[in-house]
């Protein structure tokens, strides 16, 4: 009898400990891919806010309002969905890794464009300097 009581009490303790407080699915669910896009946009807006806040102010952009309007959601819907996705830490971690990878790819593309622009500007500057040098040689000879 003691063994049965001990076994039942162990089962009760195990079931009580393993009982997750699962977050219910939101009333207005946001697709995982859309949520990743929202997190991506929020990361970009946060970076812009940190790097050049006057640009947001100058263009009258409130980052949260912008996100809500762009994705046609409200603050409650965002909070509920964010909480829901965050309750599954592995999924949430994967979403942030995807956002991070996407940001990294964008950075590489932007760096390539900036590098090309710098080469063009450098070439133009060199051409201009060569013209000036040639003109000064002609003037010096004359």
């Amino acid at each position: 009898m003691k063994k049965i009581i001990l076994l039942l009490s162990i089962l009760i303790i195990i079931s009580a400990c393993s009982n997750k407080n699962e977050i219910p699915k939101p009333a207005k669910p946001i697709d995982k891919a859309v949520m990743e896009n929202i997190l991506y946009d929020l990361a970009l807006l946060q970076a812009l806010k940190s790097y050049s806040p006057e640009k947001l102010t100058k263009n009258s952009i409130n980052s949260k309002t912008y996100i809500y309007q762009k994705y046609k959601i409200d603050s409650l819907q965002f909070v509920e969905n964010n909480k829901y996705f965050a309750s599954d830490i592995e999924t949430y971690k994967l979403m942030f890794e995807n956002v991070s990878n996407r940001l990294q790819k964008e950075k590489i593309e932007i760096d390539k464009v900036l590098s090309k622009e710098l080469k063009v500007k450098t070439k133009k500057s060199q051409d201009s300097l060569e013209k000036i040098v040639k003109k000064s040689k002609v003037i010096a000879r004359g």
Side-chain angles (χ1 to χ4, degrees):
M1 184 71 174
K2 286 183 180 180
K3 289 182 181 180
I4 293 175
I5 292 174
L6 181 63
L7 184 61
L8 285 175
S9 56
I10 289 174
L11 288 173
I12 291 171
I13 290 171
I14 290 173
S15 67
C17 291
S18 67
N19 187 12
K20 287 184 178 178
N21 290 334
E22 289 189 25
I23 305 294
K25 198 163 192 158
K28 296 178 182 177
I30 297 174
D31 184 63
K32 181 181 167 193
V34 174
M35 190 67 178
E36 270 187 30
N37 289 337
I38 292 171
L39 295 173
Y40 174 81
D41 286 348
L42 285 172
L44 287 178
L45 287 167
Q46 185 61 40
L48 183 60
K49 193 181 219 180
S50 298
Y51 181 72
S52 185
E54 69 278 355
K55 291 194 182 213
L56 291 174
T57 306
K58 178 182 162 189
N59 293 308
S60 302
I61 297 174
N62 178 325
S63 54
K64 289 182 180 180
T65 307
Y66 173 79
I67 294 295
Y68 300 149
Q69 289 174 352
K70 180 177 180 180
Y71 292 97
K72 296 176 178 72
I73 60 173
D74 57 37
S75 59
L76 179 62
Q77 186 178 5
F78 172 74
V79 169
E80 285 179 347
N81 279 274
N82 195 40
K83 190 175 177 181
Y84 174 73
F85 284 112
S87 70
D88 180 359
I89 195 71
E90 289 302 316
T91 300
Y92 207 54
K93 181 181 173 187
L94 182 62
M95 289 171 71
F96 273 97
E97 287 173 358
N98 291 342
V99 168
S100 179
N101 291 339
R102 200 167 146 194
L103 289 167
Q104 196 62 30
K105 285 178 186 175
E106 285 290 322
K107 182 186 180 308
I108 290 168
E109 289 300 315
I110 290 170
D111 287 346
K112 284 180 185 177
V113 169
L114 291 176
S115 176
K116 285 179 184 176
E117 287 179 0
L118 182 62
K119 285 179 184 177
V120 168
K121 283 182 181 179
T122 303
K123 176 94 170 99
K124 284 182 181 178
S125 294
Q126 287 175 342
D127 290 347
S128 296
L129 287 173
E130 287 175 10
K131 286 180 184 178
I132 292 171
V133 169
K134 284 180 183 178
K135 282 184 181 180
S136 64
K137 286 182 181 178
V138 169
I139 293 173
R141 286 183 194 163

